Amino acid sequence: MHKINIAIDGPAGSGKSTVAKEVAAKLSYLYIDTGAMYRSLTFRALQAQVSEKDEQSLIQLLKEMEITLKQQRDGEVQVLVNGKRLGEEIRTQTVTAKVSEVSAHRKIREEMVARQQQLAKQKGVVLDGRDIGTYVLPGAELKIYMDASVEERAKRRHLENIEKQRPSDITTTKEALKRRDELDRERPIAPLQQAEDAMLIDTTNATIEEAVERICLIAREKENEG
């Protein structure tokens, strides 16, 4: 048996991050939270009053940031920037509204991808995002594309915000997801799309547990193939 790399892509709210964390925990793999990496830069840009459109200033900020991902015993991933822990502050609607534009810059993606690929060299990692199977890890042994209707995704995101005591309105959330989808699918660098060899999992009417079990079953088969 040998460990493999697992790439999980999909639009915001499709459940990919939750699934990726649980798959990593069940397989004893490392979960690499790529979204948190981009959110950390966006949060830092907001602090420094750097525009999401200013690629040169953003890349300079990024080069000054050491982003560390530490997996906790419960499977959660702790994000540290220059040794300082970041938590809910990178999940606010303010950050969410800017992160797509920040992550669309070529230089930003190239630097982030290089960091993610370095982490994945060890094998036994699960990455989720929008371009993992097509751009970050095109050689991943298992590729998944998770999707769900925008109505279902908005409902999940709204409930998540309420649960974590973040301000939330389901109509606003739905419109924000539509805009995020448009930005992600139309960006010139590594747009959101399903890799040709990725397995589609639609979670509109499926539970997270069902998706996790399905992915783990396929992953174990691929581990044994090696």
Side-chain angles (χ1 to χ4, degrees):
M1 186 183 79
H2 76 296
K3 289 190 173 185
I4 64 172
N5 285 337
I6 302 173
I8 302 179
D9 291 307
S14 59
K16 62 184 181 297
S17 295
T18 303
V19 166
K21 288 177 190 175
E22 293 195 20
V23 166
K26 283 183 176 291
L27 296 175
S28 297
Y29 277 24
L30 173 66
Y31 169 59
I32 299 176
D33 191 343
T34 61
M37 296 173 74
Y38 288 104
R39 283 177 173 274
S40 297
L41 173 59
T42 305
F43 174 72
R44 181 72 190 90
L46 287 165
Q47 280 188 316
Q49 297 185 317
V50 171
S51 169
E52 67 274 15
K53 302 181 189 301
D54 187 348
E55 182 179 26
Q56 200 55 45
S57 295
L58 287 169
I59 194 66
Q60 186 58 44
L61 267 183
L62 180 56
K63 287 181 178 179
E64 295 168 2
M65 294 170 62
E66 180 187 5
I67 303 174
T68 307
L69 304 176
K70 285 192 174 181
Q71 192 149 346
Q72 308 300 295
R73 289 183 178 178
D74 61 1
E76 287 295 315
V77 174
Q78 190 179 85
V79 182
L80 295 95
V81 173
N82 297 337
K84 181 182 178 182
R85 182 181 181 276
L86 294 182
E88 285 301 300
E89 60 264 48
I90 67 172
R91 309 286 178 184
T92 64
Q93 287 190 339
T94 306
V95 171
T96 299
K98 304 286 186 182
V99 68
S100 277
E101 291 181 73
V102 169
S103 62
H105 293 294
R106 179 183 295 274
K107 290 180 181 178
I108 299 299
R109 296 207 75 80
E110 287 175 350
E111 175 64 22
M112 288 293 199
V113 167
R115 296 187 188 196
Q116 292 157 11
Q117 289 174 333
Q118 187 61 36
L119 289 168
K121 277 186 177 180
Q122 63 188 324
K123 293 288 187 180
V125 300
V126 182
L127 284 81
D128 75 285
R130 288 159 178 76
D131 60 354
I132 308 302
T134 55
Y135 186 62
V136 180
L137 291 181
E141 291 87 347
L142 176 55
K143 299 177 187 178
I144 304 293
Y145 188 87
M146 292 185 61
D147 207 352
S149 69
V150 69
E151 290 78 14
E152 180 62 25
R153 291 188 284 129
K155 177 184 171 184
R156 290 175 189 165
R157 185 57 57 86
H158 175 64
L159 291 174
E160 179 186 358
N161 287 337
I162 296 300
E163 183 182 333
K164 295 187 176 179
Q165 299 183 328
R166 302 172 189 153
S168 189
D169 172 78
I170 194 163
T171 302
T172 304
T173 300
K174 183 178 176 180
E175 290 307 310
L177 284 174
K178 285 182 177 179
R179 180 173 179 274
R180 181 84 194 264
D181 289 348
E182 185 178 342
L183 286 169
D184 289 339
R185 290 189 172 110
E186 294 182 2
R187 69 188 183 203
I189 310 301
L192 167 66
Q193 59 184 344
Q194 181 178 344
E196 289 184 5
D197 53 346
M199 180 179 73
L200 174 65
I201 296 181
D202 191 316
T203 64
T204 303
N205 298 306
T207 66
I208 292 298
E209 291 72 21
E210 287 170 338
V212 169
E213 287 304 318
R214 189 175 175 190
I215 293 169
C216 285
L217 180 64
I218 298 169
R220 291 188 178 109
E221 289 174 353
K222 287 187 175 291
E223 285 179 336
N224 291 326
E225 286 173 7

